[in-house]
């Protein structure tokens, strides 16, 4: 049995209801190797081994990325390329260009480590402490992230979230 059957079926149902032209299928071996080289947790790679979206899936301003999207966010786009060396791996993006990342610095619950939302306002050359001050935890695990994603309960704007706090 696939660990994320329930979450995947709910995401697929949402995609169907909103007429998004997205299919789900096994990722290419080379893409899984990329994820493993960057140390994406097994809980995350397991999802993509079975159900990589054909292109990003948008739910309420949050976009679950394909592996190609994650690659671009991790290596070529702020804030992803700034936070990758600090142990944060992209899995999704928000409509405000903030990024959702797996936090390799947190404890893996078995369903993956925590997921954080990181502000797109991070600047090249910022000190690690300043970067850390521009992120907030949005889920205790990758499974909870997927659940909150399909339930439309993810914050999508770091700046608005920070102002509301």
């Amino acid at each position: 049995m696939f660990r994320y059957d329930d979450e995947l079926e709910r995401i697929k149902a949402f995609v169907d209801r909103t007429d998004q032209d997205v299919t789900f299928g096994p990722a290419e071996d080379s893409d899984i190797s990329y994820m493993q080289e960057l140390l994406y947790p097994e809980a995350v790679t397991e999802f993509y081994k079975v159900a990589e979206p054909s292109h990003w899936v948008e739910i309420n301003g949050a976009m679950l990325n394909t592996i190609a999207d994650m690659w671009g966010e991790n290596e070529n786009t702020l804030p992803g390329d700034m936070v990758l060396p600090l142990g944060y791996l992209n899995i999704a993006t928000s409509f405000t260009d903030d990024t959702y990342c797996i936090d390799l610095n947190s404890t893996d619950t078995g369903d993956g480590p925590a997921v954080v939302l990181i502000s797109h306002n991070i600047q090249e050359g910022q000190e690690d402490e300043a970067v850390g001050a521009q992120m907030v935890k949005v889920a205790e695990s990758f499974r909870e992230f997927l659940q909150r994603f399909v339930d439309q309960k993810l914050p999508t704007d770091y700046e608005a979230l920070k102002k509301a706090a």
Side-chain angles (χ1 to χ4, degrees):
M1 181 174 157
F2 178 49
R3 178 194 318 219
Y4 299 110
D5 273 333
D6 292 340
E7 291 83 3
L8 179 59
E9 289 310 310
R10 292 181 60 222
I11 293 169
K12 284 180 177 179
F14 185 92
V15 164
D16 289 344
R17 281 193 314 274
T18 57
D19 293 325
Q20 294 183 55
D21 186 23
V22 178
T23 58
F24 295 85
E28 297 289 327
D29 289 342
S30 60
D31 289 336
I32 295 300
S33 293
Y34 164 78
M35 292 180 77
Q36 291 169 332
E37 287 170 16
L38 284 183
L39 304 178
Y40 275 88
E42 179 59 30
V44 180
T45 58
E46 180 183 338
F47 180 83
Y48 283 88
K49 283 178 185 177
V50 172
E52 180 182 19
S54 57
H55 65 271
W56 50 260
V57 177
E58 192 272 329
I59 298 179
N60 198 37
M63 288 142 310
L64 181 66
N65 285 334
T66 67
I67 296 171
D69 293 330
M70 292 186 303
W71 196 318
E73 289 285 334
N74 285 331
E75 297 183 17
N76 300 313
T77 306
L78 278 173
D81 62 348
M82 286 280 300
V83 299
L84 176 67
L86 303 176
Y88 299 94
L89 302 171
N90 175 273
I91 54 168
T93 307
S94 77
F95 77 100
T96 61
D97 292 327
D98 294 338
T99 189
Y100 300 92
C101 291
I102 295 292
D103 178 1
L104 296 180
N105 303 298
S106 68
T107 302
D108 189 330
T109 64
D111 285 326
V115 176
V116 296
L117 178 64
I118 303 173
S119 173
H120 71 278
N121 288 324
I122 289 174
Q123 303 294 314
E124 289 286 343
Q126 275 188 310
E127 297 293 323
D128 293 352
E129 284 180 14
V131 171
Q134 295 182 68
M135 63 181 70
V136 63
K137 186 189 307 183
V138 296
E140 294 294 331
S141 67
F142 180 65
R143 177 186 299 279
E144 183 182 338
F145 171 82
L146 291 174
Q147 291 166 345
R148 296 194 72 208
F149 174 64
V150 76
D151 289 340
Q152 303 178 52
K153 292 184 178 179
L154 285 175
T156 55
D157 184 343
Y158 175 83
E159 295 302 321
L161 186 64
K162 195 74 168 172
K163 286 178 187 174

